[in-house]
Amino acid sequence: MKKLLLATAVAALSVSAANAAPTVYGKGFLTLDVNTGDNDTTTTTYNTDGSVDSVVKTSVDADGRSQLNSNASRIGLKGSEALTANTDLVYQLEYGIDIDAGDAFVDADGGRMEKSDQFYSRDTYLGLKNAQYGTLLGGRLSAIDDYVNFANVTQGGVLGGDVVLASFDAPRTNNTFNYFSPNINGMQFMAMYAMDENNDTDTLGRDAFGVGGKYEAGPMNVGATYIQAGDFKVARVSGNYAISPVVTLGALYQNTDFDSDDNENAFTISGEMATATPWTAYAQGDFVNNVGGADDAEKFRAVVGGKYAFNAATTGHLYGAYLSSEATVTAPLVKVESEFDGFGIGGGIEYKF
C-alpha cells in the first residue's frame, strides 16, 4: 500500500511539474537586402513682398550598401499555471535578438560610447486568464491595434519596413494593462491602459487608453480600434476576405490626429494567392496622406513578393518594393520641398521553433 501511495504521489508531482514547465519558442529570420534611390530637394526663398528670390534644386543618391538584416528574430518563454478550476496565471518573457550583428556601440549621454544590450524586451507580461471573464495582462505589451491588422502581408527587410506605412502602428507600450474578452462565436473585445509614470519608461508621454473589437469567422476577418493619449487620437478599421480557397484580399484604413491642422490618413490594400507549388505570392499597396500630421506630406509604396514553404518550420522569402515620399517644410521666407524615390529587393530564410 505504501509503495502504491508513493508511486501515485510521484506521478502526481510529475504531472504538476510538466504542466508548470514553460514553452521555449522563437524564430530566426535573416535576409540580404539592397536599396537604391534618389533624394531631390527644391529650396525656394522669397522676398518680403512675397516674390520669389531664388530656387535651388539638388539631387543626392540614396543608394544603400547590401545589408544582412535580422528581422524580428526572437526567443521567448511562455506558459500557464492553474490557480483555480477556471483561472490560470499566464506569463510570457520574449526578447528580440539580432542574429546578424551582436551587440552594437551606441552614443550614450555625454558623448560616451557604450554597448547596447543584445536582448531587448518585446511582449513581456504576467496575467490572469479566466474562462468566463477573459484575460488581463500587465507588463510591456503591443498596443491593441496590433490585433486589428488584416492587411499587412509584407515580410523581411522590405523597403519601408515589414509593416503598414501608418506613422502609428502597434508600438509596444511600457507599464500597460491589456484586456481580452472570451471569444464568443468569433467575436472578441479588447481594451488597453498605458500608465503615465512620469519617468524614463513612459512610452506615449502620458496616460493612454484604447478600446476595440474584432470578428473572425470562416473566410472573413474584420475589426476596429480606437486609441487616445491626451490630444493624440488614432482610429483604425481593417479586414480581409477569402474570395476563393486560394486568394485572400485585405484592407486597412487609419485616421491619426496628431493635434495639428491636418490628420494623417493611411490606406493599405493587399492580396495573397496560394499556388499549386509551395510558393505563396503576395502584393501590397500603401498610401499615406498628411504624414505625421504635416500638410501635403505623402508616402506611397508598392510591394510584391513570394514565400516558399520548405516545411512547417522553414520559409524562404523573395520580395521587391517601390517607395516614394514627398514633404514640404515652410518657414518665414523659405520653402523646402523634398522628394524620395527608391527601389529595393531582398530575400532570405525564416525558421520558427
Side-chain angles (χ1 to χ4, degrees):
M1 176 62 75
K2 290 182 179 180
K3 291 183 178 180
L4 178 60
L5 290 176
L6 180 60
T8 303
V10 170
L13 288 173
S14 298
V15 171
S16 176
N19 288 341
T23 298
V24 179
Y25 69 96
K27 79 170 182 178
F29 191 178
L30 197 62
T31 58
L32 181 64
D33 302 285
V34 60
N35 299 321
T36 181
D38 294 293
N39 281 315
D40 299 322
T41 303
T42 302
T43 303
T44 305
T45 58
Y46 299 88
N47 299 308
T48 56
D49 63 0
S51 61
V52 174
D53 177 49
S54 66
V55 177
V56 178
K57 296 185 178 182
T58 60
S59 181
V60 178
D61 288 338
D63 296 344
R65 290 178 176 269
S66 300
Q67 292 187 338
L68 194 61
N69 291 316
S70 179
N71 303 279
S73 299
R74 68 198 71 165
I75 188 168
L77 301 171
K78 62 182 177 180
S80 63
E81 183 74 32
L83 300 180
T84 69
N86 295 319
T87 303
D88 291 348
L89 180 142
V90 293
Y91 62 90
Q92 178 173 292
L93 302 173
E94 182 177 291
Y95 300 96
I97 55 175
D98 295 325
I99 60 177
D100 64 319
D103 286 349
F105 282 95
V106 295
D107 190 6
D109 294 338
R112 294 177 291 107
M113 299 301 290
E114 294 183 349
K115 274 193 173 184
S116 65
D117 193 355
Q118 168 68 295
F119 289 86
Y120 48 91
S121 178
R122 289 171 58 87
D123 280 26
T124 55
Y125 59 78
L126 282 175
L128 296 173
K129 181 178 182 180
N130 182 274
Q132 181 179 359
Y133 299 109
T135 302
L136 179 65
L137 307 177
R140 174 172 165 82
L141 301 165
S142 295
I144 59 173
D145 61 321
D146 189 41
Y147 300 91
V148 178
N149 185 350
F150 301 109
N152 184 50
V153 295
T154 57
Q155 303 283 332
V158 65
L159 186 63
D162 58 346
V163 293
V164 298
L165 288 189
S167 298
F168 184 92
D169 182 36
R172 288 187 173 86
T173 58
N174 297 327
N175 314 312
T176 298
F177 292 99
N178 278 6
Y179 167 76
F180 301 91
S181 74
N183 189 308
I184 302 174
N185 297 323
M187 189 70 193
Q188 185 178 46
F189 297 96
M190 61 196 76
M192 67 173 287
Y193 176 68
M195 300 171 62
D196 175 12
E197 298 188 356
N198 194 27
N199 58 37
D200 292 340
T201 65
D202 290 344
T203 306
L204 299 177
R206 59 173 303 152
D207 294 300
F209 72 90
V211 293
K214 61 179 180 177
Y215 176 76
E216 298 175 297
M220 181 177 69
N221 304 288
V222 64
T225 56
Y226 174 82
I227 298 173
Q228 181 172 341
D231 293 325
F232 172 83
K233 309 175 185 71
V234 55
R236 167 181 289 190
V237 292
S238 181
N240 64 15
Y241 185 76
I243 62 174
S244 77
V246 297
V247 178
T248 300
L249 302 180
L252 179 146
Y253 168 70
Q254 180 166 300
N255 180 277
T256 306
D257 183 354
F258 290 93
D259 194 27
S260 63
D261 292 335
D262 300 281
N263 290 0
E264 177 184 285
N265 293 287
F267 305 86
T268 296
I269 57 172
S270 65
E272 280 191 303
M273 183 179 69
T275 69
T277 73
W279 282 102
T280 296
Y282 62 85
Q284 180 171 317
D286 300 271
F287 175 74
V288 185
N289 184 40
N290 299 331
V291 178
D295 184 29
D296 292 332
E298 296 182 347
K299 283 186 178 181
F300 169 76
R301 181 179 66 174
V303 180
V304 294
K307 301 178 292 185
Y308 186 89
F310 290 100
N311 53 45
T314 310
T315 305
H317 295 268
L318 289 173
Y319 46 80
Y322 165 76
L323 174 67
S324 70
S325 63
E326 300 177 2
T328 301
V329 177
T330 303
L333 304 182
V334 179
K335 180 173 70 173
V336 179
E337 300 169 283
S338 58
E339 298 182 5
F340 170 82
D341 284 285
F343 296 88
I345 58 173
I349 196 81
E350 176 184 15
Y351 177 74
K352 296 180 180 180
F353 61 90

